[in-house]
C-alpha cells in the first residue's frame, strides 16, 4: 500500500515536472542578418521618445559606460544582476534579433535563444505597450544606436535562484501578463496617463511593494516601496505627505524635478525624471499627472484644509525652540536654514522641510540620504545643487537635525534614529 502511494506521488511529480518543462520551454527564434532597418523617420523618432521614457539607457549603461552596451550593475535582494548588451551588435548584442524576438522579450521576458529573463528587466510593464510602440523602440535601437561589441557579465545569483528555467514558475505566480486594459469609465487622457505609467514608464516597478519573492503586490499598487537604499513613497491615498498631490503638483515635480510643497526628485527618481519623462511631450506629462492625482486624496482634501496645514508649518518655523537647549535646532539653524527659509510666500528650491515628503515618511531613509549626499545638479531641479554633509556632520548631528525636524513637523521621532543614520551612511550610494 505504502509503496503504491510512493509510486503514485513520484509519478505525479514526474508528470508535473514534464508538464512544467513543456510550459517553461520556449524555442529559439531564428537569427536574422541583416536585421530590418527600413523604418520611416517618424517611427524611429517615436521609438527614441519611448526608449527614453522607458529609461532603457539608464539600466543598460553603467556610469561612464557606452550607451545601451549593458553591464549596468543592479543589486537586488537575490544577488547582483547585470543588464544585457542591447546595441545592434550581431555577436554580443541584439543585432540578429527579429522584431518578433524583440517583442517576445519585451512581453514575456524570454531571450531570442529561448532562455528566461529575470524581472529586474521590467518586461511585465513593457508588456502593457502596444505592438506599434514596441516595434518603434526596436526600429530606434536597430537604426540609431551604435553597435558595440561587449559581452554581458554573468549574474551573481546564488543557486538555485540562478536556474533560469525556474523563472517560468515565477512568471506563472507573479507576473502580470495581461495587456493594458482601457478603463471605459475614464477619459481618453486618463487612459493615456495610465497606459504610460503602467507600461513604458513602469512607475510601479519602484513604487509598488513586492512580496518575499520579488513579485509586485498588485493589490497595493503604487503604495510605496524600498528601492536601492531609498524609499519610493506611496503615490496613492496612503501617501504620508501632509499636503495633497494635486495634478499640478505631479506635473511640476515630473517636469521640473521639484515640487514646492513636497521636495525634489533625487536618488533613483532623478534619472526617471531627467533621462525618462523629460523626453515625453507635455501632453503626456499632463496625462500622467492627472492619472496619479486621481489616485491621491486630492479630491478628498479641500483647499482651505490644505492652506491651514501649510500656514501652521510656516508659523511653526518662527517659534524656534531654545537653541541653547535643543542641539538639533541649533545645528539646523547653522547648517540648513540659510537655504531652507520660508516667508509666507514659499520659494521654489527652498523647501519648507517640515512639510516635505522626506520628513513625513515612515522611515528616515530619504531625509538622511539627502542630508548625507545633498541633491546634485542632475537631480531635482537641473543645475540646482544642495551640498552634502557626509563629512561635515556626524551621525549624532544628523540624527539631532532629523529629530528636530520631525518634532517641528508634529511627527514622532523615528526609533533608533542615530543607529539608522550610521546604517544609511554605510550603504552603497545610489549611482546614476
Ligand atoms: C530597471 C532596469 C532596466 C530597464 C529600465 C530596462 N532594462 Fe532591459 N534588461 C535589464 C536587465 C537587468 C536585463 C538582463 C536580465 C537577465 O539577465 O535575465 C535586461 C535585458 C533586456 C533584454 C534581453 C536581452 C538579451 O540578450 O536577452 C532586452 C531586449 C532589453 N532588456 C530591452 C530593454 C528596453 C528596450 C528597455 C527600455 C524600453 C529596457 N530594456 C529597460 C534591465 C533593464
Ligand atoms: C527607479 C525607481 C523609480 C521609478 C521607476 C519611479 N520612481 Fe518615483 N520615486 C522613486 C524614489 C526613490 C523617490 C523618492 C525621491 C526623493 O525623495 O528624492 C520617488 C519619488 C516620487 C515622487 C514624490 C513622492 C513624494 O511623496 O515625495 C513622485 C510624485 C514620483 N516618484 C512619481 C513617479 C512616477 C509618476 C513614476 C513613473 C513615471 C515614477 N515615480 C517612477 C523611485 C522611482
Ligand atoms: C546651500 C543651500 C542648502 C543648504 C545649506 C541645505 N539645503 Fe537642502 N536643499 C537645497 C536645495 C537647492 C534643494 C532643492 C534641490 C533641487 O531640487 O534641485 C534642497 C532640497 C532639500 C530637501 C528635499 C529633498 C528631497 O529629495 O525631497 C531636503 C529634505 C533638504 N534639502 C534638507 C536639508 C537639510 C536637513 C539641510 C541641513 C542639514 C539642508 N537641506 C541644507 C539647498 C540647501
Amino acid at each position: 500500500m505504502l509503496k503504491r502511494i510512493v509510486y503514485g506521488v513520484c509519478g505525479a511529480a514526474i508528470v508535473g515536472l514534464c508538464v512544467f518543462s513543456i510550459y517553461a520551454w520556449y524555442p529559439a527564434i531564428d537569427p536574422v542578418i541583416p536585421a530590418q532597418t527600413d523604418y520611416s523617420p517618424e517611427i524611429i523618432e517615436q521609438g527614441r521618445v519611448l526608449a527614453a521614457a522607458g529609461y532603457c539607457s539608464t539600466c543598460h549603461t553603467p556610469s561612464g559606460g557606452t550607451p545601451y552596451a549593458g553591464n549596468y550593475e543592479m543589486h537586488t535582494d537575490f544577488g547582483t544582476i547585470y543588464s544585457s548588451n542591447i546595441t545592434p551588435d550581431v555577436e554580443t548584442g541584439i543585432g540578429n534579433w527579429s522584431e518578433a524576438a524583440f517583442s517576445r522579450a519585451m512581453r514575456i521576458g524570454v531571450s531570442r535563444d529561448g532562455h528566461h529573463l529575470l524581472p529586474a528587466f521590467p518586461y511585465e510593464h513593457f508588456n502593457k505597450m502596444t505592438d506599434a510602440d514596441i516595434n518603434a523602440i526596436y526600429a530606434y535601437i536597430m537604426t540609431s544606436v551604435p553597435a558595440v561589441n561587449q559581452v554581458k557579465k554573468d549574474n551573481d545569483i546564488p543557486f538555485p535562484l540562478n536556474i533560469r528555467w525556474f523563472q517560468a514558475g515565477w512568471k506563472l505566480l507573479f507576473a502580470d501578463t495581461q495587456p493594458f486594459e482601457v478603463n471605459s469609465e475614464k477619459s481618453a487622457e486618463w487612459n493615456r496617463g495610465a497606459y504610460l505609467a503602467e507600461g513604458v514608464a513602469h512607475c510601479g516597478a519602484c513604487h509598488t511593494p513586492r512580496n518575499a519573492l520579488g513579485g509586485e503586490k498588485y493589490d497595493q499598487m503604487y503604495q510605496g516601496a524600498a528601492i536601492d537604499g531609498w524609499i519610493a513613497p506611496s503615490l496613492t491615498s496612503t501617501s504620508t505627505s501632509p499636503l495633497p498631490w494635486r495634478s499640478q503638483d505631479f506635473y511640476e515635480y515630473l517636469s521640473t524635478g521639484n515640487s514646492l510643497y513636497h521636495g525634489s526628485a533625487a536618488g533613483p527618481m532623478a534619472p526617471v525624471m531627467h533621462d525618462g519623462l523629460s523626453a515625453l511631450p507635455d501632453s503626456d506629462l499632463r496625462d500622467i499627472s492627472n492619472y496619479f492625482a486621481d489616485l491621491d486624496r486630492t479630491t478628498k482634501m479641500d483647499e482651505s484644509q490644505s492652506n491651514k496645514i501649510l500656514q501652521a508649518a510656516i508659523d511653526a518655523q518662527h517659534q524656534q525652540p531654545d537653541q541653547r537647549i535643543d542641539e538639533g535646532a541649533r545645528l539646523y539653524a547653522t547648517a540648513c536654514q540659510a537655504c531652507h527659509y520660508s516667508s509666507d510666500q514659499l520659494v521654489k528650491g527652498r523647501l519648507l522641510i517640515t512639510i516635505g515628503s522626506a520628513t513625513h515618511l515612515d522611515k528616515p531613509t530619504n531625509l538622511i540620504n539627502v542630508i548625507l549626499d545633498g541633491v546634485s545638479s542632475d537631480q531635482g531641479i537641473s543645475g540646482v545643487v544642495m551640498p552634502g554633509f557626509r563629512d561635515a556632520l556626524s551621525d549624532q548631528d544628523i540624527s539631532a537635525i532629523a529629530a528636530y525636524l520631525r518634532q517641528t513637523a508634529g511627527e514622532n521621532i523615528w526609533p533608533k534614529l542615530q543607529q539608522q543614520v550610521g546604517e544609511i551612511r554605510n550603504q552603497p550610494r545610489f549611482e546614476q
Side-chain angles (χ1 to χ4, degrees), residues 50-51 54-56 59-60 74 81-86 94 97 102 105-106 111-112 115-118 120-122 126 129 137 141 152 155 164 200 202:
L50 288 165
Y55 15 100
C56 319
C59 272
H60 283 273
M74 293 178 75
I81 301 171
Y82 297 92
S83 61
S84 316
N85 179 344
I86 56 166
I94 61 167
W97 287 38
F102 183 77
M106 294 287 278
S111 188
R112 188 194 64 73
H115 77 257
H116 285 275
L117 296 161
L118 301 168
F121 164 44
F126 296 152
M129 277 191 264
I137 296 179
I141 292 178
K152 177 189 187 306
N155 296 336
R164 289 197 176 260
V200 71
H202 59 276

Side-chain angles (χ1 to χ4, degrees), residues 283-332:
S283 62
D284 281 347
L285 279 185
R286 298 237 179 241
D287 291 346
I288 294 176
S289 304
N290 283 330
Y291 165 66
F292 279 105
D294 193 48
L295 301 176
D296 193 60
R297 62 202 139 130
T298 319
T299 42
K300 287 153 239 155
M301 191 188 284
D302 66 40
E303 189 96 14
S304 72
Q305 201 182 344
S306 60
N307 283 342
K308 252 188 230 155
I309 295 172
L310 183 58
Q311 196 56 51
I314 292 172
D315 294 345
Q317 31 156 39
H318 303 309
Q319 295 153 10
Q320 291 288 353
D322 189 337
Q323 293 186 12
R324 285 165 307 178
I325 302 167
D326 190 326
E327 179 67 0
R330 190 185 63 75
L331 285 164
Y332 177 78

Side-chain angles (χ1 to χ4, degrees), residues 55 58-59 72-78 81 119-122 125 202-210 214 216 223-235 253 266-272 361 363 365-366 369 424 427-431:
Y55 15 100
T58 308
C59 272
Y72 173 84
E73 218 174 296
M74 293 178 75
H75 303 279
T76 71
D77 290 347
F78 311 100
I81 301 171
F121 164 44
H125 290 275
H202 59 276
C203 313
C206 295
H207 285 273
T208 298
R210 291 175 187 266
E216 282 179 39
Q223 291 189 12
I227 176 84
D228 287 345
W230 284 71
I231 304 291
S234 169
L235 303 176
Y253 184 89
M269 188 58 202
V272 174
L361 292 172
K363 294 204 170 111
T365 322
N366 290 4
N369 275 329
I424 293 167
Q427 75 186 5
R429 280 167 78 165
F430 172 78
E431 299 230 15

